[in-house]
Amino acid sequence: MAASESFLEFLRDLMGPLGPIVARRMFSGAGLFTDGLMFALVIDDTLHFKVDDSNRAAFEAEGMKPFVYQAKGRSVALGYWRVPERLLDEPEELAAWSRAAMAVARRAASAKVRKAKGGGKKPAARSPAPAARGGSRRQ
């Protein structure tokens, strides 16, 4: 399940116009990062992009599935879906799918920050303080 250095270099070159892409080895594959956020997973020289409700339909339309691995006798699906191989020959379309995966990674990171700061709920709006009794408000 390794990700070869030659395939990672190919992906960095292919995605170069999108900005700096960093590959970090993890487990038996590699993660692709931009701006410190992981937007892609490479396992067995197969590219998977981060997916949420905003881009899932495109993957489903291509018949793609999420990356699944076995742990403690059960299947675990990650939020990374296999990228259609045809996109490796279509740089402009791959760039569009890459940008969508990067946006998913940014939203996920933003949601984690909101959750850490209080569950993502906005504080209730306060009503303005009433004017002091018997006096006028300064303007």
Side-chain angles (χ1 to χ4, degrees):
M1 288 181 93
S4 71
E5 190 56 44
S6 61
F7 187 66
L8 294 175
E9 187 62 33
F10 168 72
L11 292 174
R12 283 191 296 263
D13 288 345
L14 194 58
M15 296 180 194
L18 299 172
I21 305 294
V22 176
R24 292 187 194 149
R25 295 276 177 191
M26 50 188 354
F27 311 109
S28 57
L32 297 182
F33 294 77
T34 186
D35 298 327
L37 299 174
M38 186 169 147
F39 72 96
L41 176 68
V42 179
I43 302 288
D44 281 338
D45 285 352
T46 302
L47 179 62
H48 302 79
F49 279 155
K50 192 158 182 69
V51 171
D52 69 6
D53 290 341
S54 70
N55 62 344
R56 185 174 292 112
F59 288 85
E60 290 172 340
E62 295 272 351
M64 299 294 102
K65 303 283 184 197
F67 174 72
V68 177
Y69 68 95
Q70 298 296 313
K72 298 181 183 178
R74 64 186 181 97
S75 296
V76 178
L78 297 181
Y80 293 86
W81 288 49
R82 185 177 181 145
V83 172
E85 285 188 38
R86 69 175 183 78
L87 294 181
L88 299 179
D89 294 324
E90 300 176 26
E92 290 179 15
E93 192 172 355
L94 179 66
W97 285 53
S98 299
R99 284 187 200 94
M102 291 171 181
V104 171
R106 281 191 293 277
R107 281 192 299 277
S110 186
K112 284 181 185 179
V113 169
R114 282 193 309 272
K115 186 174 181 180
K117 289 185 178 181
K121 295 179 183 177
K122 291 183 179 179
R126 292 185 179 182
S127 51
R133 294 182 194 203
S136 62
R137 293 173 86 183
R138 287 189 185 173
Q139 294 190 0

